[in-house]
Amino acid sequence: MIEHKFKKKFGQNFLTDKNLLNAIVQDAGLTKEDDVLEIGAGAGALTQILSQNAKSVVSYEIDADLKETLLSLNLSNVKFYFQDIMKVDIETIEKDFGESYKVVANLPYYITSPIIFKFLSKSKKLSSLTIMVQKEVAQRIIAGSGGDYGVLSIMVQFFGEAKITRIVSRKLFYPEPNVDSAVVRIDVRRRDDSIDSQDFLEFVQTCFSMRRKTLKNNLSKNPKYKIDKINSEYLSKRAESFTLDQFILIYKNLVEEQG
Ligand code: SAH
């Protein structure tokens, strides 16, 4: 790698361990038929392994200082974009793909949730995400109840099925971060189109806005929600006591009542 000044603000913690990089590719179930999107190429450690194991790779990197290093790898089936992925709309990103693609990435941790939400809620072609995230975030993603259970868990469940495929020591990153990590695989399921997912997401977020308060307390802050239409038994409980199906039920009821 051409000498690189690591930038904390971009979440730059690079991987070098070959075994781990291969394991990520395995966790993603990649084959030579797959087209892959990588978010955050870094110095290209994962990009190279993806390039060897997939049909094609599209990789976004925000830091233009890495351009020379990445282009000098001469990876013939990889297309790099030096852009902030959050500023590119999903239709533009997906123009590079046919019917489906997989996301495989060691994510920049400061935007883990926005990336997951963006791709799950807006994509029309994504089949799975296999991503390195902070261990604590991984636990929130897969939680079915308890303290880790929240908006992230519900949204991921709404769009797909998630599992932790491995826990990764902080020692395997350079520079070493303050926390351990985990690889999470989310398989996207085609979802119930009768629900406006953005609006449903906003509803669930409102329900959880103050974790220790009841649905009544949280929802009554927004006059858009006509809480008198919701069963009072639900209203007296906290968001964390509801399953995804129950949230869907309450939401549908609310929307129908609004007409
Ligand atoms: N994949 C590499 C680097 C992971 S670190 C490896 O595993 O070694 C995360 C990378 O994401 C960094 O290179 C960082 O510059 C990049 N990044 C951060 N924010 C980004 C954004 N908004 N869009 C695209 N890339 C981003």
Side-chain angles (χ1 to χ4, degrees):
M1 178 173 49
I2 292 159
E3 198 170 320
H4 178 65
K5 198 171 175 316
F6 285 90
K7 300 183 187 72
K8 217 174 178 168
K9 65 168 179 182
F10 289 149
Q12 294 183 343
N13 299 99
F14 293 180
L15 291 173
T16 47
D17 188 290
K18 268 260 157 63
N19 290 331
L20 174 59
L21 292 164
N22 280 310
I24 296 171
V25 165
Q26 257 184 22
D27 290 351
L30 275 195
T31 74
K32 280 281 190 188
E33 314 283 294
D34 287 318
D35 296 311
V36 174
L37 172 67
E38 184 189 22
I39 300 160
L46 181 59
T47 323
Q48 291 178 80
I49 310 277
L50 293 172
S51 154
Q52 289 157 16
N53 288 281
K55 186 164 91 194
S56 78
V57 181
V58 173
S59 186
Y60 282 77
E61 173 51 61
I62 197 172
D63 186 356
D65 288 352
L66 292 161
K67 191 168 181 173
E68 217 183 317
T69 301
L70 288 169
L71 295 181
S72 69
L73 297 173
N74 282 316
L75 303 171
S76 61
N77 60 346
V78 179
K79 192 167 173 181
F80 287 109
Y81 290 102
F82 295 93
Q83 272 177 292
D84 176 348
I85 189 115
M86 295 310 291
K87 297 210 172 117
V88 186
D89 62 50
I90 204 93
E91 289 76 20
T92 308
I93 295 171
E94 296 194 339
K95 272 192 192 129
D96 276 312
F97 298 102
E99 289 206 342
S100 84
Y101 67 100
K102 294 175 173 170
V103 166
V104 185
N106 171 19
L107 287 186
Y109 291 170
Y110 72 105
I111 43 171
T112 301
S113 296
I115 288 175
I116 294 175
F117 284 138
K118 174 173 180 147
F119 281 89
L120 286 182
S121 71
K122 302 215 170 94
S123 169
K124 299 264 183 300
K125 300 179 175 179
L126 179 65
S127 67
S128 66
L129 293 135
T130 302
I131 47 182
M132 180 82 78
V133 302
Q134 291 181 12
K135 190 170 135 196
E136 161 265 323
V137 176
Q139 281 156 348
R140 286 200 275 131
I141 291 174
I142 63 148
S145 61
D148 288 335
Y149 182 63
V151 185
L152 193 55
S153 344
I154 291 164
M155 276 302 140
V156 169
Q157 261 186 53
F158 181 67
F159 292 108
E161 241 169 273
K163 61 171 184 246
I164 292 180
T165 55
R166 66 189 66 242
I167 305 291
V168 180
S169 162
R170 68 193 77 181
K171 295 207 163 56
L172 293 176
F173 295 82
Y174 188 84
E176 195 180 306
N178 297 324
V179 290
D180 291 323
S181 291
V183 178
V184 173
R185 173 166 164 173
I186 305 170
D187 286 298
V188 179
R189 186 178 354 98
R190 289 297 147 224
R191 58 163 197 285
D192 178 358
D193 272 336
S194 68
I195 289 190
D196 174 340
S197 55
Q198 296 294 331
D199 196 53
F200 177 63
L201 167 62
E202 204 189 297
F203 167 74
V204 176
Q205 271 167 338
T206 311
C207 290
F208 272 100
S209 50
M210 308 264 278
R211 239 197 124 80
R212 310 200 59 80
K213 299 257 164 126
T214 62
L215 278 206
K216 183 177 181 181
N217 259 301
N218 284 330
L219 289 174
S220 55
K221 291 207 190 77
N222 187 340
K224 165 176 164 183
Y225 300 116
K226 307 281 181 256
I227 57 165
D228 52 321
K229 308 290 182 203
I230 302 176
N231 187 323
S232 60
E233 201 186 309
Y234 292 150
L235 283 177
S236 64
K237 290 186 174 159
R238 292 176 186 162
E240 63 195 11
S241 64
F242 298 109
T243 63
L244 169 66
D245 286 341
Q246 288 171 321
F247 272 115
I248 292 177
L249 207 84
I250 300 170
Y251 174 78
K252 278 190 168 165
N253 197 255
L254 198 63
V255 174
E256 277 159 22
E257 293 288 348
Q258 278 171 359

